[in-house]
Amino acid sequence: QQQVKQSPQSLIVQKGGISIINCAYENTAFDYFPWYQQFPGKGPALLIAIRPDVSEKKEGRFTISFNKSAKQFSLHIMDSQPGDSATYFCAATINSGGYQKVTFGIGTKLQVIP
Amino acid sequence: DAMVIQNPRYQVTQFGKPVTLSCSQTLNHNVMYWYQQKSSQAPKLLFHYYDKDFNNEADTPDNFQSRRPNTSFCFLDIRSPGLGDAAMYLCATSRVGAGNSYEQYFGPGTRLTVT
């Protein structure tokens, strides 16, 4: 059962455009929603994260929008650059007995073309 | 810089030949995780250590074992690698305590090839 559904699986955006990746979850016990960026051959790196009591968080060109009632959240990359080309994973976390159990989405491969 | 280090970055082993992957961290985090990531898939948690307490995921095969001799180091042992175990293995750490940090910090991964 895929607890975090992510779409699209691949995305091509022109340089300067807006990249939008959407995620939805079922388990209301999730209490933290990070996005990870992964370049080929590298480990995932935390990009930006949000708690469910906040509707939006912005860090530079990256914004998370969070809709608690709809159980959906999305990543917007403004002014997308070729260097943003990577795989993006949304995730949802439960703090379980002292550790963070992370459920990842399937990932979105973003390609930003010049 | 504080970081999560994995060695080797690339490992080739033969079918059935035991292999050990290494992870070390300078973050002094008390939780260390091992994930398996196959091509074009999300990372899948195998197990984690909370200090010295080992926690296995229910669907992790017995073929996978782990050791954590001290806070800084954690090892992944694959006793009899099969072709299906070829993957990227990711180590991650997090800190649990007062003022919980929810972030997990990932290492660069070890790409395992099984021939």
Side-chain angles (χ1 to χ4, degrees), chain B residues 16-66:
Chain B
K17 185 175 180 180
V19 66
T20 294
L21 309 183
S22 168
C23 177
S24 64
Q25 54 128 343
T26 60
L27 297 161
N28 203 32
H29 284 173
N30 46 5
V31 189
M32 295 185 77
Y33 309 77
W34 279 104
Y35 289 86
Q36 179 192 64
Q37 186 179 27
K38 295 189 175 181
S39 182
S40 300
Q41 295 185 20
K44 177 181 179 296
L45 182 64
L46 296 173
F47 27 58
H48 76 277
Y49 271 96
Y50 182 1
D51 292 325
K52 294 184 178 181
D53 293 332
F54 177 71
N55 297 273
N56 203 27
E57 292 299 299
D59 57 354
T60 298
D62 293 339
N63 197 26
F64 292 87
Q65 303 287 320
S66 186

Side-chain angles (χ1 to χ4, degrees), chain A residues 90-113:
Chain A
C90 65
T93 297
I94 294 175
N95 195 0
S96 173
Y99 80 102
Q100 294 81 41
K101 176 136 177 112
V102 181
T103 301
F104 288 91
I106 198 167
T108 296
K109 189 171 183 179
L110 171 66
Q111 184 181 359
V112 181
I113 54 177

